[in-house]
Amino acid sequence: MENFFAPCPRGVETLLEGEFDALELKNLKRVPGGVHFDSDWLGCYSANLYSRIATRVLWRVAHGPYAVEDDIYRLAKDVPWHRFFSPAQTIRVGVTAVKSPLKSLEFITLRIKDAVCDRFRAETGQRPSVDTREADIRIHAFIDAERCTLYIDTSGAPLHQRGLRRKTVDAPIKENLAAAILHMTGWQPGTPLYDPMCGSGTFLLEAVQIALGIAPGASGRSFGFQGLKNFQPEIWKAVLETAHARAKPVRFAQIYGSDSSPVALRATLANLDRAGLLPAVSLKPGDILDTDAPTETPGTLVANPPYGERLSELEELAAFYPRLASAFKRRFAGWNCWLLSSDTRMPKLMRLTPGRKIPLFNGGLECRLYEFRMVSGSNRAK
Ligand SMILES: C[S@@+](CC[C@H](N)C(=O)[O-])C[C@H]1O[C@@H](n2cnc3c(N)ncnc32)[C@H](O)[C@@H]1O
């Protein structure tokens, strides 16, 4: 058994814990920003392949107390890095500190990098070089007030990069947050799902993968664990084959998208098409303010409207919200409408009381996910 930690967007840790529970990973421990677990390598590969919520899966290689930077250097130098990867591979060190008394994160980063290189030189006569952009091996240090934990990243590029979304428009939502939101809405595959401001199509892409049982990591992306000396290709091959066998054939999944911007709609179309998922979705251009619900049967509407950074945009949004509310009332009776926004004025300006208001972080941006249940046969939100 090895120890792992999977970070995720803040606010969705319980969902990640649920995913790991379903994968039968052991000793789950939920903390703000992620979930710790114990597992063999099969479990690590599965977590990377199947988790829609995790941002990464980190393998813990050292943990210990520290008082000064040199303690962290010694902790890092004690790790047999040369057994995990080769000096021909490039490295990158990242440090996250919470309540640490140490002054400079840059200096800690440098000391950890020195320790890795010094250990390599002592063991092999060679040292890895640093690549701060596309490193083969990513080392993460988490430092709290008293203890330092060192991890090797088994994911490589973050897991929300499924390899499907090649084109983006402004302010795309991260894929793992979109998947978490779809889960929170209670949407069930087989019932209508509509994103009327689909941008580059993130909600739609995630929804199709959920509906068709496509593992988020099964679309050809690579993973950090493939570059480690202990990589077991035959186990990985079997895990991947099982995932491919479980995916349903691509067919229409009652998932609908639209956007008022032709550029955005083209991006969504290109992304779905490249992924071979276009037949699952119905797309059309249109402004939400004068677009009818895509189905007679009410379903789930989910969107993240523009946030508005400049004053003029904020003013435009203040005028947009009441019109959006009246569009919901007139055309989406019976629908369960969910909006993600960092603009806390939204419900008040819509003059609708949200059934739920869930705090979430979209990257560094503090947002709320608002639920508006549009009562059927009346023009009021419950
Ligand atoms: C924040 S972006 C959505 C990003 C998207 N969720 C993604 O991940 O790519 C907001 C989108 O709303 C669209 N939009 C703005 N006003 C609209 C309106 N009245 N009707 C339809 N779409 C609108 C914009 O064109 C933009 O693509």
Side-chain angles (χ1 to χ4, degrees):
M1 283 284 199
E2 305 286 344
N3 301 125
F4 296 93
F5 176 66
C8 67
R10 273 183 288 161
V12 303
E13 298 85 349
T14 317
L15 297 180
L16 180 58
E17 191 181 19
E19 283 191 334
F20 285 173
D21 198 31
L23 290 171
E24 298 183 2
L25 305 176
K26 302 285 178 265
N27 299 329
L28 305 185
K29 192 168 151 242
R30 177 163 39 90
V31 294
V35 176
H36 293 272
F37 65 95
D38 293 343
S39 170
D40 55 15
W41 284 96
L42 171 72
C44 167
Y45 300 169
S46 302
N48 272 290
L49 177 63
Y50 284 108
S51 178
R52 300 189 194 279
I53 310 287
T55 306
R56 310 176 167 282
V57 177
L58 306 174
W59 172 36
R60 182 164 129 172
V61 293
H63 180 65
Y66 76 92
V68 293
E69 285 87 351
D70 268 351
D71 298 331
I72 296 179
Y73 173 86
R74 274 189 290 274
L75 184 77
K77 191 147 182 244
D78 278 347
V79 176
W81 302 101
H82 58 289
R83 293 205 203 127
F84 305 149
F85 59 94
S86 108
Q89 290 170 293
T90 54
I91 60 166
R92 165 178 149 180
V93 179
V95 176
T96 308
V98 179
K99 294 187 186 148
S100 167
L102 301 183
K103 293 271 169 336
S104 162
L105 286 193
E106 256 169 69
F107 187 54
I108 301 170
T109 309
L110 205 66
R111 293 302 283 150
I112 295 171
K113 188 267 295 169
D114 286 346
V116 177
C117 292
D118 290 350
R119 180 70 192 255
F120 257 106
R121 228 189 261 109
E123 300 284 349
T124 69
Q126 289 172 298
R127 51 152 285 184
S129 31
V130 172
D131 180 344
T132 50
R133 294 184 62 226
E134 297 261 319
D136 301 317
I137 305 289
R138 298 170 200 225
I139 296 163
H140 290 265
F142 279 78
I143 299 175
D144 66 15
E146 289 156 6
R147 304 181 79 80
C148 170
T149 311
L150 296 173
Y151 295 101
I152 290 181
D153 188 339
T154 71
S155 304
L159 295 177
H160 59 77
Q161 291 176 13
R162 320 280 199 222
L164 298 182
R165 198 175 63 182
R166 294 291 163 92
K167 287 189 193 303
T168 57
V169 294
D170 56 333
I173 186 173
K174 290 214 167 72
E175 291 86 338
N176 54 344
L177 184 62
I181 289 173
L182 287 171
H183 201 287
M184 287 171 179
T185 66
W187 166 68
Q188 293 296 324
T191 66
L193 181 87
Y194 179 35
D195 179 354
M197 298 184 225
C198 65
S200 44
T202 317
F203 282 122
L204 307 177
L205 280 160
E206 289 303 305
V208 173
Q209 291 174 79
I210 294 169
L212 301 180
I214 298 171
S219 303
R221 59 156 283 162
S222 62
F223 294 90
F225 58 73
Q226 292 171 291
L228 297 179
K229 282 189 175 171
N230 63 12
F231 176 48
Q232 295 159 277
E234 53 312 319
I235 293 188
W236 171 233
K237 189 166 170 264
V239 173
L240 201 54
E241 276 170 7
T242 307
H244 284 307
R246 279 186 195 161
K248 297 183 191 133
V250 180
R251 57 180 157 70
F252 185 56
Q254 289 205 65
I255 294 168
Y256 302 84
S258 57
D259 200 292
S260 56
S261 148
V263 175
L265 209 67
R266 272 202 297 276
T268 294
L269 196 131
N271 288 333
L272 283 159
D273 194 27
R274 253 205 84 263
L277 301 177
L278 195 53
V281 178
S282 164
L283 291 178
K284 63 173 188 184
D287 189 316
I288 174 65
L289 298 181
D290 46 44
T291 301
D292 286 331
T295 52
E296 293 267 315
T297 328
T300 306
L301 179 152
V302 64
N304 72 310
Y307 292 132
E309 278 159 30
R310 291 188 296 274
L311 189 62
S312 60
E313 289 168 333
L314 284 169
E315 281 168 8
E316 258 176 53
L317 282 173
F320 173 69
Y321 296 139
R323 298 179 68 201
L324 181 63
S326 74
F328 280 1
K329 287 175 195 166
R330 266 184 287 126
R331 302 206 192 83
F332 289 88
W335 282 69
N336 199 7
C337 302
W338 295 78
L339 298 176
L340 178 76
S341 180
S342 62
D343 189 345
T344 48
R345 309 168 305 162
M346 192 172 75
K348 214 172 213 159
L349 289 167
M350 286 177 81
R351 297 220 215 109
L352 292 178
T353 312
R356 291 181 68 192
K357 192 164 77 178
I358 304 171
L360 289 175
F361 282 83
N362 183 14
L365 196 63
E366 189 176 351
C367 294
R368 302 272 181 283
L369 177 66
Y370 299 99
E371 178 193 34
F372 302 105
R373 254 173 206 273
M374 307 311 296
V375 174
S376 50
S378 134
N379 64 358
R380 282 236 151 92
K382 213 190 232 168

